Amino acid sequence: MSIVWICGVDEAGRGPLVGAVVAGAVVLDPHNPINGLKDSKKLTAARREFLYQQIMEKAKAWGIGEASPAEIDEINILQATMLAMRRAVEDLSSRLGQWPDKALIDGNRCPELPIAAEAIIKGDAKEPAISAASILAKVTRDHQMQILHERHPEYGFAQHMGYPTEAHFAALKQYGACEQHRRSFSPVRKVLEMNAS
């Protein structure tokens, strides 16, 4: 009987006002287990970084997909999230050399995929493969925000990772939006309209 490959899929970055929405997809290797996998939000940044390296080294296959701020603005954040998830599974499949047999998706809906898929609410706390995908997505996006912070230190992205904090709003009002801000998000739109008037 052939081996059944099951991949976990999760995203990071639906709520921020800036940057891509990033998805991870992971097929774990039962012969090379990773200890300590859990929902990325319940881990310290240092622990996430450690597990991120473990996933890269020990997973049977992994993939990253993203949708850009322009794509988010064009098709909305939900559709962009589904697009990023599909791209993550496609990336994983190219590394695995085949499509996985099934995808377990964190949340209440599934992207369009050519394989069986199951949505699991709070899946990042229930399924280790989804936990691994959540860590992969979160750390990848955090790295992107660190790079964006170096380009635009005035916004403080390294501190709030693009989420709508008071400091972020204050910087938006003072400096306007940078090229990575999601202009379809109402807080960004309102600040731009205020600054234009």
Side-chain angles (χ1 to χ4, degrees), residues 69-137:
E71 288 174 317
I72 293 167
D73 289 341
E74 185 179 343
I75 62 177
N76 80 43
I77 187 61
L78 173 62
Q79 296 307 319
T81 300
M82 295 296 109
L83 178 60
M85 285 181 168
R86 189 169 79 238
R87 286 171 173 167
V89 179
E90 287 169 352
D91 185 37
L92 174 143
S93 301
S94 68
R95 296 171 198 270
L96 188 62
Q98 65 178 77
W99 286 95
D101 300 284
K102 185 177 182 179
L104 303 177
I105 315 291
D106 183 60
N108 60 3
R109 62 184 72 208
C110 298
E112 285 184 27
L113 293 168
I115 56 172
E118 178 186 353
I120 302 175
I121 293 170
K122 298 195 186 302
D124 50 6
K126 299 172 183 172
E127 290 287 342
I130 299 179
S131 302
S134 83
I135 292 163
L136 203 59

Short mmCIF file of all heavy atoms in Angstrom, two decimals, residues 69-137:
data_model
loop_
_atom_site.label_atom_id
_atom_site.label_comp_id
_atom_site.label_asym_id
_atom_site.label_seq_id
_atom_site.Cartn_x
_atom_site.Cartn_y
_atom_site.Cartn_z
N PRO A 69 0.08 42.77 -1.25
CA PRO A 69 -0.89 43.81 -0.90
C PRO A 69 -1.76 44.23 -2.09
O PRO A 69 -2.97 44.47 -1.92
CB PRO A 69 0.00 44.97 -0.43
CG PRO A 69 1.25 44.32 0.05
CD PRO A 69 1.45 43.13 -0.83
N ALA A 70 -1.18 44.30 -3.29
CA ALA A 70 -1.96 44.66 -4.48
C ALA A 70 -3.05 43.62 -4.76
O ALA A 70 -4.19 43.96 -5.11
CB ALA A 70 -1.04 44.82 -5.69
N GLU A 71 -2.69 42.34 -4.59
CA GLU A 71 -3.69 41.28 -4.80
C GLU A 71 -4.77 41.34 -3.72
O GLU A 71 -5.96 41.13 -4.01
CB GLU A 71 -3.00 39.91 -4.81
CG GLU A 71 -2.18 39.67 -6.06
CD GLU A 71 -1.37 38.38 -6.02
OE1 GLU A 71 -0.76 38.07 -4.97
OE2 GLU A 71 -1.32 37.69 -7.05
N ILE A 72 -4.36 41.62 -2.47
CA ILE A 72 -5.34 41.77 -1.38
C ILE A 72 -6.32 42.89 -1.73
O ILE A 72 -7.55 42.74 -1.58
CB ILE A 72 -4.63 42.06 -0.04
CG1 ILE A 72 -3.82 40.84 0.40
CG2 ILE A 72 -5.64 42.46 1.04
CD1 ILE A 72 -2.84 41.11 1.54
N ASP A 73 -5.80 44.02 -2.19
CA ASP A 73 -6.65 45.17 -2.54
C ASP A 73 -7.58 44.83 -3.70
O ASP A 73 -8.70 45.32 -3.76
CB ASP A 73 -5.78 46.38 -2.90
CG ASP A 73 -5.09 46.99 -1.69
OD1 ASP A 73 -5.52 46.71 -0.55
OD2 ASP A 73 -4.11 47.74 -1.87
N GLU A 74 -7.11 44.00 -4.61
CA GLU A 74 -7.89 43.68 -5.82
C GLU A 74 -9.00 42.67 -5.54
O GLU A 74 -10.12 42.83 -6.02
CB GLU A 74 -6.95 43.14 -6.90
CG GLU A 74 -7.65 42.91 -8.24
CD GLU A 74 -6.69 42.39 -9.31
OE1 GLU A 74 -5.47 42.51 -9.14
OE2 GLU A 74 -7.20 41.85 -10.31
N ILE A 75 -8.71 41.62 -4.75
CA ILE A 75 -9.68 40.52 -4.63
C ILE A 75 -10.24 40.34 -3.22
O ILE A 75 -11.09 39.49 -3.01
CB ILE A 75 -9.07 39.19 -5.12
CG1 ILE A 75 -7.85 38.77 -4.27
CG2 ILE A 75 -8.72 39.27 -6.60
CD1 ILE A 75 -7.25 37.41 -4.66
N ASN A 76 -9.79 41.10 -2.26
CA ASN A 76 -10.17 41.11 -0.84
C ASN A 76 -9.34 40.10 -0.04
O ASN A 76 -8.77 39.16 -0.60
CB ASN A 76 -11.69 40.99 -0.59
CG ASN A 76 -12.25 39.57 -0.70
OD1 ASN A 76 -11.66 38.60 -0.20
ND2 ASN A 76 -13.40 39.44 -1.34
N ILE A 77 -9.29 40.32 1.25
CA ILE A 77 -8.36 39.55 2.10
C ILE A 77 -8.74 38.07 2.18
O ILE A 77 -7.86 37.21 2.22
CB ILE A 77 -8.24 40.18 3.52
CG1 ILE A 77 -7.14 39.48 4.35
CG2 ILE A 77 -9.57 40.20 4.24
CD1 ILE A 77 -5.75 39.55 3.80
N LEU A 78 -10.03 37.75 2.18
CA LEU A 78 -10.43 36.34 2.24
C LEU A 78 -9.95 35.59 1.00
O LEU A 78 -9.33 34.53 1.09
CB LEU A 78 -11.94 36.21 2.40
CG LEU A 78 -12.47 34.77 2.31
CD1 LEU A 78 -11.89 33.90 3.42
CD2 LEU A 78 -14.00 34.75 2.36
N GLN A 79 -10.25 36.15 -0.19
CA GLN A 79 -9.85 35.49 -1.43
C GLN A 79 -8.32 35.44 -1.55
O GLN A 79 -7.76 34.47 -2.06
CB GLN A 79 -10.46 36.20 -2.65
CG GLN A 79 -11.98 36.14 -2.70
CD GLN A 79 -12.52 34.73 -2.58
OE1 GLN A 79 -11.98 33.78 -3.17
NE2 GLN A 79 -13.58 34.56 -1.80
N ALA A 80 -7.65 36.50 -1.08
CA ALA A 80 -6.18 36.51 -1.12
C ALA A 80 -5.60 35.44 -0.20
O ALA A 80 -4.59 34.82 -0.52
CB ALA A 80 -5.66 37.90 -0.73
N THR A 81 -6.26 35.21 0.95
CA THR A 81 -5.81 34.15 1.87
C THR A 81 -5.94 32.78 1.20
O THR A 81 -5.04 31.95 1.29
CB THR A 81 -6.64 34.20 3.17
OG1 THR A 81 -6.46 35.47 3.79
CG2 THR A 81 -6.22 33.10 4.14
N MET A 82 -7.08 32.55 0.53
CA MET A 82 -7.27 31.28 -0.18
C MET A 82 -6.22 31.10 -1.28
O MET A 82 -5.68 30.01 -1.49
CB MET A 82 -8.68 31.22 -0.79
CG MET A 82 -9.83 31.21 0.21
SD MET A 82 -9.85 29.73 1.28
CE MET A 82 -9.36 30.45 2.85
N LEU A 83 -5.90 32.21 -1.97
CA LEU A 83 -4.90 32.17 -3.03
C LEU A 83 -3.52 31.83 -2.46
O LEU A 83 -2.79 30.99 -3.00
CB LEU A 83 -4.86 33.54 -3.73
CG LEU A 83 -3.83 33.72 -4.85
CD1 LEU A 83 -4.06 32.73 -5.98
CD2 LEU A 83 -3.89 35.16 -5.37
N ALA A 84 -3.17 32.46 -1.34
CA ALA A 84 -1.87 32.18 -0.70
C ALA A 84 -1.79 30.72 -0.26
O ALA A 84 -0.75 30.06 -0.43
CB ALA A 84 -1.68 33.11 0.50
N MET A 85 -2.89 30.19 0.30
CA MET A 85 -2.91 28.79 0.73
C MET A 85 -2.72 27.86 -0.46
O MET A 85 -1.97 26.88 -0.38
CB MET A 85 -4.23 28.49 1.45
CG MET A 85 -4.32 29.06 2.85
SD MET A 85 -5.89 28.61 3.63
CE MET A 85 -5.56 29.07 5.34
N ARG A 86 -3.41 28.14 -1.57
CA ARG A 86 -3.26 27.29 -2.75
C ARG A 86 -1.82 27.33 -3.25
O ARG A 86 -1.25 26.29 -3.62
CB ARG A 86 -4.24 27.73 -3.85
CG ARG A 86 -4.27 26.74 -5.01
CD ARG A 86 -5.41 27.00 -5.97
NE ARG A 86 -5.11 28.10 -6.87
CZ ARG A 86 -5.84 29.20 -7.00
NH1 ARG A 86 -6.91 29.38 -6.26
NH2 ARG A 86 -5.51 30.14 -7.85
N ARG A 87 -1.24 28.52 -3.27
CA ARG A 87 0.15 28.64 -3.72
C ARG A 87 1.11 27.88 -2.80
O ARG A 87 2.09 27.30 -3.26
CB ARG A 87 0.53 30.12 -3.79
CG ARG A 87 -0.09 30.84 -4.97
CD ARG A 87 0.11 32.35 -4.90
NE ARG A 87 -0.36 33.00 -6.12
CZ ARG A 87 -0.53 34.32 -6.24
NH1 ARG A 87 -0.27 35.11 -5.21
NH2 ARG A 87 -0.96 34.83 -7.37
N ALA A 88 0.81 27.87 -1.49
CA ALA A 88 1.65 27.14 -0.54
C ALA A 88 1.60 25.63 -0.83
O ALA A 88 2.63 24.95 -0.81
CB ALA A 88 1.22 27.43 0.89
N VAL A 89 0.41 25.12 -1.09
CA VAL A 89 0.27 23.68 -1.39
C VAL A 89 0.94 23.36 -2.72
O VAL A 89 1.57 22.31 -2.87
CB VAL A 89 -1.21 23.25 -1.37
CG1 VAL A 89 -1.34 21.77 -1.71
CG2 VAL A 89 -1.83 23.52 0.00
N GLU A 90 0.84 24.26 -3.69
CA GLU A 90 1.51 24.05 -4.98
C GLU A 90 3.04 24.01 -4.79
O GLU A 90 3.72 23.17 -5.38
CB GLU A 90 1.13 25.17 -5.96
CG GLU A 90 -0.30 25.05 -6.48
CD GLU A 90 -0.75 26.29 -7.24
OE1 GLU A 90 -0.03 27.32 -7.24
OE2 GLU A 90 -1.85 26.24 -7.82
N ASP A 91 3.55 24.92 -3.96
CA ASP A 91 5.00 24.95 -3.69
C ASP A 91 5.44 23.66 -3.00
O ASP A 91 6.45 23.06 -3.37
CB ASP A 91 5.32 26.18 -2.83
CG ASP A 91 6.81 26.37 -2.60
OD1 ASP A 91 7.60 26.11 -3.53
OD2 ASP A 91 7.20 26.79 -1.50
N LEU A 92 4.66 23.24 -2.01
CA LEU A 92 4.96 21.98 -1.31
C LEU A 92 4.96 20.81 -2.30
O LEU A 92 5.84 19.96 -2.26
CB LEU A 92 3.93 21.74 -0.20
CG LEU A 92 4.03 20.39 0.53
CD1 LEU A 92 3.69 20.57 2.01
CD2 LEU A 92 3.10 19.34 -0.07
N SER A 93 3.97 20.77 -3.18
CA SER A 93 3.84 19.66 -4.14
C SER A 93 5.05 19.57 -5.06
O SER A 93 5.51 18.48 -5.39
CB SER A 93 2.56 19.83 -4.97
OG SER A 93 1.43 19.85 -4.12
N SER A 94 5.57 20.74 -5.46
CA SER A 94 6.74 20.72 -6.34
C SER A 94 7.96 20.16 -5.60
O SER A 94 8.80 19.48 -6.19
CB SER A 94 7.03 22.12 -6.88
OG SER A 94 7.48 22.98 -5.86
N ARG A 95 8.05 20.42 -4.28
CA ARG A 95 9.17 19.89 -3.49
C ARG A 95 8.97 18.40 -3.18
O ARG A 95 9.94 17.64 -3.11
CB ARG A 95 9.31 20.67 -2.19
CG ARG A 95 9.67 22.14 -2.37
CD ARG A 95 9.58 22.88 -1.04
NE ARG A 95 9.50 24.32 -1.20
CZ ARG A 95 10.54 25.14 -1.24
NH1 ARG A 95 11.76 24.66 -1.13
NH2 ARG A 95 10.38 26.44 -1.40
N LEU A 96 7.71 18.01 -2.95
CA LEU A 96 7.40 16.62 -2.63
C LEU A 96 7.50 15.72 -3.86
O LEU A 96 7.73 14.52 -3.76
CB LEU A 96 5.99 16.53 -2.01
CG LEU A 96 5.53 15.20 -1.44
CD1 LEU A 96 6.42 14.76 -0.27
CD2 LEU A 96 4.06 15.29 -0.98
N GLY A 97 7.31 16.35 -5.03
CA GLY A 97 7.33 15.59 -6.27
C GLY A 97 5.98 15.03 -6.65
O GLY A 97 5.84 14.29 -7.62
N GLN A 98 4.96 15.36 -5.88
CA GLN A 98 3.59 14.93 -6.16
C GLN A 98 2.64 15.76 -5.28
O GLN A 98 3.07 16.39 -4.32
CB GLN A 98 3.39 13.45 -5.82
CG GLN A 98 3.56 13.15 -4.32
CD GLN A 98 3.32 11.70 -3.98
OE1 GLN A 98 4.19 10.86 -4.22
NE2 GLN A 98 2.17 11.39 -3.41
N TRP A 99 1.37 15.74 -5.62
CA TRP A 99 0.39 16.37 -4.74
C TRP A 99 0.25 15.51 -3.49
O TRP A 99 0.28 14.28 -3.58
CB TRP A 99 -0.97 16.48 -5.44
CG TRP A 99 -1.03 17.54 -6.48
CD1 TRP A 99 -0.84 17.38 -7.80
CD2 TRP A 99 -1.28 18.94 -6.27
NE1 TRP A 99 -0.95 18.58 -8.45
CE2 TRP A 99 -1.23 19.56 -7.53
CE3 TRP A 99 -1.55 19.72 -5.13
CZ2 TRP A 99 -1.44 20.93 -7.70
CZ3 TRP A 99 -1.76 21.08 -5.30
CH2 TRP A 99 -1.70 21.67 -6.56
N PRO A 100 0.09 16.12 -2.32
CA PRO A 100 -0.24 15.31 -1.15
C PRO A 100 -1.62 14.68 -1.35
O PRO A 100 -2.38 15.09 -2.23
CB PRO A 100 -0.25 16.32 0.01
CG PRO A 100 -0.41 17.66 -0.64
CD PRO A 100 0.16 17.56 -2.01
N ASP A 101 -1.93 13.68 -0.54
CA ASP A 101 -3.22 12.99 -0.69
C ASP A 101 -4.38 13.80 -0.12
O ASP A 101 -5.50 13.70 -0.59
CB ASP A 101 -3.15 11.63 0.01
CG ASP A 101 -2.06 10.75 -0.60
OD1 ASP A 101 -2.30 10.22 -1.70
OD2 ASP A 101 -0.98 10.65 0.00
N LYS A 102 -4.07 14.62 0.89
CA LYS A 102 -5.12 15.40 1.54
C LYS A 102 -4.50 16.63 2.18
O LYS A 102 -3.35 16.59 2.62
CB LYS A 102 -5.85 14.55 2.60
CG LYS A 102 -7.04 15.23 3.24
CD LYS A 102 -7.76 14.30 4.22
CE LYS A 102 -8.97 14.99 4.82
NZ LYS A 102 -9.71 14.10 5.75
N ALA A 103 -5.29 17.71 2.25
CA ALA A 103 -4.86 18.93 2.94
C ALA A 103 -5.78 19.20 4.12
O ALA A 103 -7.01 19.12 3.97
CB ALA A 103 -4.86 20.11 1.98
N LEU A 104 -5.19 19.48 5.27
CA LEU A 104 -5.95 19.90 6.45
C LEU A 104 -5.75 21.41 6.59
O LEU A 104 -4.62 21.88 6.75
CB LEU A 104 -5.45 19.19 7.71
CG LEU A 104 -5.47 17.65 7.68
CD1 LEU A 104 -4.89 17.09 8.97
CD2 LEU A 104 -6.90 17.14 7.46
N ILE A 105 -6.84 22.15 6.50
CA ILE A 105 -6.78 23.61 6.44
C ILE A 105 -7.25 24.20 7.76
O ILE A 105 -8.33 23.84 8.25
CB ILE A 105 -7.68 24.16 5.31
CG1 ILE A 105 -7.50 23.36 4.00
CG2 ILE A 105 -7.45 25.65 5.11
CD1 ILE A 105 -6.21 23.52 3.31
N ASP A 106 -6.46 25.12 8.33
CA ASP A 106 -6.91 25.80 9.54
C ASP A 106 -8.03 26.77 9.19
O ASP A 106 -7.91 27.56 8.25
CB ASP A 106 -5.74 26.57 10.17
CG ASP A 106 -6.15 27.22 11.48
OD1 ASP A 106 -6.55 26.48 12.39
OD2 ASP A 106 -6.09 28.46 11.59
N GLY A 107 -9.12 26.71 9.94
CA GLY A 107 -10.23 27.64 9.70
C GLY A 107 -11.50 26.94 9.33
O GLY A 107 -11.67 25.73 9.57
N ASN A 108 -12.40 27.69 8.68
CA ASN A 108 -13.71 27.14 8.36
C ASN A 108 -13.98 27.04 6.86
O ASN A 108 -15.11 26.78 6.45
CB ASN A 108 -14.82 27.97 9.03
CG ASN A 108 -14.82 29.42 8.57
OD1 ASN A 108 -14.02 29.80 7.71
ND2 ASN A 108 -15.69 30.23 9.13
N ARG A 109 -12.96 27.25 6.04
CA ARG A 109 -13.15 27.06 4.60
C ARG A 109 -11.84 26.65 3.95
O ARG A 109 -10.77 26.88 4.49
CB ARG A 109 -13.73 28.31 3.94
CG ARG A 109 -12.88 29.55 4.03
CD ARG A 109 -13.60 30.74 3.43
NE ARG A 109 -14.69 31.19 4.25
CZ ARG A 109 -15.78 31.79 3.80
NH1 ARG A 109 -15.95 32.00 2.52
NH2 ARG A 109 -16.73 32.20 4.62
N CYS A 110 -11.98 26.05 2.77
CA CYS A 110 -10.81 25.50 2.07
C CYS A 110 -10.58 26.23 0.75
O CYS A 110 -11.54 26.60 0.08
CB CYS A 110 -11.02 24.01 1.76
SG CYS A 110 -11.21 22.99 3.22
N PRO A 111 -9.32 26.41 0.37
CA PRO A 111 -9.03 26.92 -0.97
C PRO A 111 -9.36 25.85 -2.01
O PRO A 111 -9.52 24.67 -1.67
CB PRO A 111 -7.53 27.19 -0.93
CG PRO A 111 -7.01 26.22 0.09
CD PRO A 111 -8.10 26.08 1.12
N GLU A 112 -9.47 26.27 -3.25
CA GLU A 112 -9.69 25.31 -4.33
C GLU A 112 -8.39 24.54 -4.57
O GLU A 112 -7.36 25.14 -4.85
CB GLU A 112 -10.11 26.04 -5.61
CG GLU A 112 -11.54 26.53 -5.58
CD GLU A 112 -11.94 27.16 -6.92
OE1 GLU A 112 -11.37 26.79 -7.96
OE2 GLU A 112 -12.83 28.02 -6.89
N LEU A 113 -8.47 23.23 -4.44
CA LEU A 113 -7.30 22.37 -4.61
C LEU A 113 -7.71 21.13 -5.41
O LEU A 113 -8.87 20.71 -5.34
CB LEU A 113 -6.74 21.93 -3.25
CG LEU A 113 -6.13 23.00 -2.35
CD1 LEU A 113 -5.90 22.45 -0.95
CD2 LEU A 113 -4.82 23.52 -2.94
N PRO A 114 -6.76 20.51 -6.13
CA PRO A 114 -7.09 19.30 -6.89
C PRO A 114 -7.02 18.04 -6.03
O PRO A 114 -6.91 16.94 -6.55
CB PRO A 114 -6.01 19.29 -7.98
CG PRO A 114 -4.84 19.94 -7.34
CD PRO A 114 -5.40 20.98 -6.39
N ILE A 115 -7.04 18.21 -4.71
CA ILE A 115 -6.97 17.07 -3.78
C ILE A 115 -8.05 17.24 -2.71
O ILE A 115 -8.65 18.31 -2.59
CB ILE A 115 -5.58 16.97 -3.10
CG1 ILE A 115 -5.24 18.29 -2.39
CG2 ILE A 115 -4.51 16.57 -4.09
CD1 ILE A 115 -4.00 18.26 -1.53
N ALA A 116 -8.30 16.20 -1.95
CA ALA A 116 -9.25 16.29 -0.83
C ALA A 116 -8.74 17.31 0.18
O ALA A 116 -7.54 17.40 0.44
CB ALA A 116 -9.40 14.92 -0.17
N ALA A 117 -9.65 18.08 0.75
CA ALA A 117 -9.27 19.09 1.75
C ALA A 117 -10.34 19.14 2.83
O ALA A 117 -11.53 18.96 2.56
CB ALA A 117 -9.12 20.46 1.09
N GLU A 118 -9.88 19.36 4.05
CA GLU A 118 -10.80 19.43 5.20
C GLU A 118 -10.45 20.67 6.02
O GLU A 118 -9.29 20.86 6.40
CB GLU A 118 -10.66 18.18 6.06
CG GLU A 118 -11.54 18.18 7.30
CD GLU A 118 -11.27 16.99 8.22
OE1 GLU A 118 -10.49 16.09 7.83
OE2 GLU A 118 -11.83 16.98 9.33
N ALA A 119 -11.46 21.51 6.27
CA ALA A 119 -11.26 22.68 7.12
C ALA A 119 -11.45 22.27 8.58
O ALA A 119 -12.41 21.58 8.92
CB ALA A 119 -12.25 23.77 6.74
N ILE A 120 -10.53 22.70 9.44
CA ILE A 120 -10.59 22.37 10.87
C ILE A 120 -10.48 23.67 11.67
O ILE A 120 -9.43 24.33 11.64
CB ILE A 120 -9.46 21.40 11.28
CG1 ILE A 120 -9.53 20.11 10.44
CG2 ILE A 120 -9.52 21.09 12.76
CD1 ILE A 120 -8.38 19.15 10.69
N ILE A 121 -11.57 24.03 12.35
CA ILE A 121 -11.55 25.24 13.18
C ILE A 121 -10.58 25.01 14.35
O ILE A 121 -10.60 23.96 14.97
CB ILE A 121 -12.96 25.57 13.68
CG1 ILE A 121 -13.83 25.98 12.48
CG2 ILE A 121 -12.94 26.68 14.72
CD1 ILE A 121 -15.31 26.10 12.78
N LYS A 122 -9.73 26.01 14.59
CA LYS A 122 -8.65 25.91 15.60
C LYS A 122 -7.73 24.72 15.33
O LYS A 122 -7.20 24.09 16.24
CB LYS A 122 -9.22 25.84 17.02
CG LYS A 122 -10.02 27.08 17.41
CD LYS A 122 -10.25 27.15 18.90
CE LYS A 122 -11.17 28.29 19.29
NZ LYS A 122 -10.71 29.62 18.88
N GLY A 123 -7.57 24.43 14.04
CA GLY A 123 -6.72 23.30 13.64
C GLY A 123 -5.28 23.46 14.05
O GLY A 123 -4.57 22.46 14.25
N ASP A 124 -4.81 24.73 14.20
CA ASP A 124 -3.41 24.94 14.58
C ASP A 124 -3.14 24.48 16.01
O ASP A 124 -1.98 24.32 16.40
CB ASP A 124 -2.98 26.39 14.38
CG ASP A 124 -3.95 27.40 14.99
OD1 ASP A 124 -4.90 26.98 15.67
OD2 ASP A 124 -3.76 28.60 14.78
N ALA A 125 -4.21 24.26 16.79
CA ALA A 125 -4.04 23.73 18.16
C ALA A 125 -4.32 22.23 18.22
O ALA A 125 -4.09 21.60 19.25
CB ALA A 125 -4.97 24.46 19.12
N LYS A 126 -4.83 21.65 17.11
CA LYS A 126 -5.26 20.24 17.13
C LYS A 126 -4.41 19.33 16.26
O LYS A 126 -4.25 18.14 16.57
CB LYS A 126 -6.72 20.15 16.63
CG LYS A 126 -7.72 20.91 17.49
CD LYS A 126 -9.09 20.93 16.82
CE LYS A 126 -10.10 21.73 17.61
NZ LYS A 126 -11.37 21.91 16.88
N GLU A 127 -3.90 19.85 15.16
CA GLU A 127 -3.16 19.02 14.20
C GLU A 127 -1.71 19.49 14.10
O GLU A 127 -1.47 20.64 13.70
CB GLU A 127 -3.82 19.11 12.81
CG GLU A 127 -5.18 18.44 12.71
CD GLU A 127 -5.08 16.92 12.71
OE1 GLU A 127 -3.97 16.40 12.45
OE2 GLU A 127 -6.11 16.28 12.96
N PRO A 128 -0.74 18.65 14.43
CA PRO A 128 0.67 19.08 14.38
C PRO A 128 1.10 19.62 13.02
O PRO A 128 1.88 20.57 12.96
CB PRO A 128 1.43 17.80 14.74
CG PRO A 128 0.48 17.01 15.57
CD PRO A 128 -0.88 17.29 15.00
N ALA A 129 0.58 19.06 11.93
CA ALA A 129 0.98 19.55 10.60
C ALA A 129 0.48 20.97 10.37
O ALA A 129 1.16 21.79 9.73
CB ALA A 129 0.46 18.61 9.50
N ILE A 130 -0.71 21.29 10.90
CA ILE A 130 -1.23 22.66 10.79
C ILE A 130 -0.43 23.58 11.69
O ILE A 130 -0.11 24.72 11.33
CB ILE A 130 -2.74 22.73 11.11
CG1 ILE A 130 -3.55 21.88 10.13
CG2 ILE A 130 -3.22 24.18 11.07
CD1 ILE A 130 -5.06 21.88 10.39
N SER A 131 -0.08 23.12 12.90
CA SER A 131 0.78 23.91 13.79
C SER A 131 2.09 24.26 13.09
O SER A 131 2.55 25.41 13.15
CB SER A 131 1.09 23.14 15.08
OG SER A 131 -0.08 22.78 15.76
N ALA A 132 2.68 23.27 12.44
CA ALA A 132 3.94 23.51 11.72
C ALA A 132 3.74 24.53 10.61
O ALA A 132 4.58 25.42 10.41
CB ALA A 132 4.46 22.19 11.15
N ALA A 133 2.63 24.43 9.89
CA ALA A 133 2.33 25.38 8.82
C ALA A 133 2.14 26.79 9.37
O ALA A 133 2.58 27.77 8.76
CB ALA A 133 1.09 24.93 8.05
N SER A 134 1.51 26.89 10.55
CA SER A 134 1.29 28.21 11.15
C SER A 134 2.62 28.85 11.55
O SER A 134 2.82 30.06 11.38
CB SER A 134 0.34 28.12 12.34
OG SER A 134 0.98 27.75 13.53
N ILE A 135 3.55 28.04 12.05
CA ILE A 135 4.88 28.54 12.43
C ILE A 135 5.65 28.99 11.18
O ILE A 135 6.25 30.07 11.16
CB ILE A 135 5.66 27.46 13.20
CG1 ILE A 135 5.00 27.19 14.56
CG2 ILE A 135 7.13 27.84 13.36
CD1 ILE A 135 5.42 25.90 15.23
N LEU A 136 5.60 28.17 10.15
CA LEU A 136 6.28 28.50 8.89
C LEU A 136 5.76 29.83 8.32
O LEU A 136 6.55 30.70 7.94
CB LEU A 136 6.03 27.36 7.89
CG LEU A 136 7.01 27.18 6.75
CD1 LEU A 136 8.42 26.91 7.24
CD2 LEU A 136 6.54 26.04 5.85
N ALA A 137 4.44 29.99 8.31
CA ALA A 137 3.83 31.21 7.76
C ALA A 137 4.18 32.43 8.62
O ALA A 137 4.57 33.48 8.09
CB ALA A 137 2.32 31.04 7.66
#
